């Protein structure tokens, strides 16, 4: 009788063990971490403390804080995650500190061509523009494609025309000029003909992007990304920023994500959608899924970059495999937190 | 003692039950269905027997057969899946029967703008072009981007320039002209100003695409897609065909896929990558994963289209949710099979 009891207890323990293991060790957390919140990035790359002056470091923190506050104040009042994402991104687009909007990098032809994308996690609607040259805030064009067209992705001169029809703020291409970015283009062009040393010093030319992801009080997720692309880009190169599933993804069932990094790798690895798929199909947490893609899959193939993300329960994760990533988040009524280095 | 034995047996049975259930009911098949093979499509849509003359039906079967034979003969001789995919797609691009290459549909401006993409499942390298106007076989441009550039996606005039540098076959844009497609444009333009009846009759204007996926004798998978896009497209619209993870995906760990359908839905649902993710993360078979996306997720949102796919074990699946899809496959040394209707 006693032996039987021991056997029965062992049985129950083993059943419990196998049941738990069915969902793997990275169980999806179901407890609410925050009711609402926003997370942003201003690009990832070889950002080292010794290369950043104190005043510039301060300027980055201050601008990230301003972007977080703009998005957060919308969420706090019960506004949508879409409005919050747009407000945060516009502040970074308007700042010459980041490679998006004003201060975007230059193409090989000496022009500025901008890409952006937007996704609404509640409907899986999405919009994107590639290579716009006259839209002051490309994220507003991506949103207009999402909300006011039957399409997901518009490109080049056609995308400019659509923006004009939508009465978006347009500017002359020279609006995007900054001396700093123009000098970067000259340096890289010189290094193409001269030594390749300069090129590696300016490796950051690949990584500039801004992005935001938010969860609103109604439980809706949204994400957006905006960029000037790659310095010295040729041949109408399109990176991951305007590609839904690569640079941007949002799905109320899982999470909202914006990526930044060496775009070609982010397209080939369908990074943003892969993180969502790992959560949905493998029951991984946001943290585990993001790390699997950024710090395992991409690291193995030397795909540099990172992402910012927030899940349906208000968990935030900001993995990156570079020296630094301009980033921050603001949850519920807590203070904003901003970071630059590892 | 006897009771103890019963308890122990129950224990073993339950452990076995829970262990099996850990991998879900849609276990990935591990037996080899074919050593090598190719699967192709020539677009999905409202293709009804009553609307297709006997001679046209015969012409479609014959051209699909020719494309399959071209790819298959390369695989049979030990050639690569990449070469097989390109050969099959070029035959469909060169035929005015399909909306790709010669016979591509017209943009609103009365021009032909072509998109294509390619992915190598052994390296996850990928290449794509959006809006090329002078490349005779856009699939060759997608392959050149994959193999001869640091980029994944090039667009517009820049992509044309890249193709010229790569010494690809170029043609005047008028090469792509066919009377049938030009008339379709006029009909749709008239219906825009008149009744919308014509538009629904010409709903097929959304669906033309060609694609191929192959498994070679070395076990490498590859996939490619090529299209003229949407009749009457405006604003530089880009569909799913040149988007890696949406219209095309290949990964030796899972499968190779080419999609066709209402591109906007295929981008939003990251269709090609989602099928691969369901196989990799949920242990679904190729058949179950493709059906989940095409006949469940997309049907729920009225996203029309289909895909063709082959997995690492030579299983083939060709799900679609439209009335018809031009399609076929050829495995090992068996005969080619081609189909049009459900």
């Amino acid at each position: 009788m006693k032996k039987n009891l021991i056997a029965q207890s062992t049985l129950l323990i083993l059943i419990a063990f196998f049941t738990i293991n069915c969902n793997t060790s990275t169980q999806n957390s179901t407890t609410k971490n925050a009711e609402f919140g926003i997370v942003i990035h201003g690009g990832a790359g070889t950002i080292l403390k010794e290369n950043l002056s104190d005043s510039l470091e301060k300027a980055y923190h201050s601008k990230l804080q301003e972007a977080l506050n703009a998005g957060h104040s919308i969420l706090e009042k019960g506004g949508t995650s879409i409005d919050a994402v747009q407000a945060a991104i516009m502040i970074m687009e308007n700042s010459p500190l980041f490679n998006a909007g004003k201060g975007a990098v230059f193409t090989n032809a000496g022009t500025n061509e901008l890409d952006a994308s937007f996704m609404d996690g509640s409907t899986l609607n999405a919009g994107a523009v590639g290579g716009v040259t006259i839209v002051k805030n490309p994220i507003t064009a991506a949103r207009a494609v999402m909300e006011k067209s039957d399409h997901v992705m518009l490109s080049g001169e056609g995308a400019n025309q659509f923006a004009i029809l939508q009465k978006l703020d347009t500017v002359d291409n020279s609006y995007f000029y900054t001396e700093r970015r123009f000098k970067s283009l000259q340096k890289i062009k010189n290094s193409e003909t001269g030594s390749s040393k300069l090129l590696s010093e300016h490796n950051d030319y690949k990584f500039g992007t801004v992005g935001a992801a938010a969860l609103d009080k109604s439980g809706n997720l949204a994400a957006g990304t905006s960029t000037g692309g790659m310095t010295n880009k040729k041949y109408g190169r399109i990176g991951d920023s305007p590609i839904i599933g690569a640079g941007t993804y949002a799905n109320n069932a899982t999470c909202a994500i914006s990526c930044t990094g060496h775009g070609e790798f982010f397209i080939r690895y369908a990074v943003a959608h892969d993180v969502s798929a790992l959560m949905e199909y493998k029951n991984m947490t946001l943290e585990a899924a993001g790390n699997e893609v950024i710090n395992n899959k991409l690291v193995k193939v030397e795909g540099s970059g990172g992402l910012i993300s927030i899940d349906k329960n208000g968990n935030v994760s900001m993995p990156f495999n570079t020296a630094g990533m301009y980033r921050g988040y603001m949850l519920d009524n807590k203070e904003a937190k901003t970071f630059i280095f590892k």
Side-chain angles (χ1 to χ4, degrees), chain A:
Chain A
M1 199 58 186
K2 199 182 168 188
K3 270 190 184 164
N4 204 359
L5 262 175
I6 291 169
Q8 279 175 353
S9 309
T10 317
L11 178 71
L12 285 170
I13 290 163
L14 277 159
I15 290 172
F17 174 79
F18 279 101
T19 309
I20 288 163
N21 270 275
C22 270
N23 280 326
T24 79
S25 56
T26 50
Q27 190 66 256
N28 206 345
S29 89
T30 48
T31 51
K32 206 89 188 155
N33 181 59
E35 191 199 355
F36 65 95
I38 184 164
V39 54
I40 62 171
H41 70 78
T46 323
I47 307 159
L48 295 168
K49 197 161 173 66
E50 53 265 38
N51 298 338
L52 208 64
S53 70
D54 284 354
S55 65
L56 201 53
E57 190 180 335
K58 215 171 155 183
Y60 273 110
H61 278 292
S62 158
K63 194 52 77 174
L64 289 170
Q65 188 107 27
E66 189 186 333
L68 284 170
N69 285 335
H72 183 268
S73 76
I74 289 167
L75 297 171
E76 197 178 24
K77 288 175 204 140
T80 67
S81 50
I82 293 175
D83 283 340
V85 163
Q86 178 175 321
I89 289 179
M90 283 177 74
I91 282 169
M92 292 186 282
E93 283 180 335
N94 293 344
S95 160
L97 289 172
F98 307 101
N99 176 18
K102 176 78 181 169
V105 300
F106 284 84
T107 66
N108 177 267
T111 57
N112 300 103
E113 296 184 5
L114 310 153
D115 305 330
S117 63
F118 220 126
M119 189 157 184
D120 173 357
S122 67
T123 58
L124 301 188
N125 275 341
V129 289
V132 292
T133 54
I134 57 162
V135 184
K136 189 184 174 201
N137 292 100
I139 195 68
T140 62
R143 181 173 177 175
V145 174
M146 174 169 80
E147 296 179 341
K148 310 252 172 81
S149 88
D150 293 333
H151 302 307
V152 169
M153 190 170 182
L154 303 181
S155 65
E157 195 43 40
N160 282 338
Q161 291 306 316
F162 177 78
I164 291 168
L165 280 176
Q166 295 298 324
K167 303 193 191 329
L168 302 182
D169 249 1
T170 53
V171 290
D172 187 86
N173 194 242
S174 62
Y175 160 81
F176 300 108
Y177 176 92
T178 52
E179 197 187 348
R180 170 189 170 213
R181 300 297 192 186
F182 195 70
K183 277 187 180 166
S184 290
L185 174 65
Q186 306 315 320
K187 276 186 193 164
I188 286 167
K189 281 192 163 182
N190 292 339
S191 74
E192 276 187 329
T193 46
S195 81
S196 63
K197 188 174 167 284
L198 265 164
L199 194 65
S200 64
E201 271 174 15
H202 292 273
N203 199 21
D204 270 4
Y205 75 103
K206 288 191 188 117
F207 299 116
T209 317
V210 308
L215 169 71
D216 63 29
K217 288 183 178 178
S218 307
N220 290 323
L221 291 162
T225 308
S226 180
T227 186
M230 197 182 258
T231 302
N232 197 32
K233 71 181 171 189
K234 297 178 199 173
Y235 310 127
R237 178 254 184 191
I238 291 178
D240 65 315
S241 299
I243 309 285
I244 298 302
T248 301
Y249 190 74
N251 187 335
N252 275 8
T254 53
C255 61
I257 297 178
S258 170
C259 298
T260 175
H262 193 157
E264 277 70 12
F265 288 92
F266 283 70
I267 298 177
R268 291 168 50 203
Y269 285 80
V271 167
H273 183 263
D274 201 28
V275 172
S276 172
L278 284 166
M279 291 180 72
E280 191 169 359
Y281 305 145
K282 270 197 127 173
N283 278 325
M284 278 194 182
T285 61
L286 181 71
E287 182 90 12
N291 271 318
E292 167 63 15
V293 181
I294 297 294
N295 289 314
N296 183 24
K297 289 186 182 189
L298 286 190
V299 163
K300 277 182 188 159
V301 292
E302 296 181 23
S304 305
L307 61 83
I308 53 94
S309 57
I310 184 165
D311 73 11
K312 56 182 175 171
N313 294 313
N315 295 295
V316 159
S317 181
M318 310 183 289
F320 58 100
N321 61 32
T322 48
M325 178 166 81
Y326 304 107
R327 64 201 186 277
Y329 63 89
M330 198 168 179
L331 299 176
D332 287 343
N333 295 314
K334 292 173 200 146
E335 265 180 31
K337 306 260 187 195
T338 58
F339 312 87
I340 298 179
F341 314 107
K342 273 250 191 247

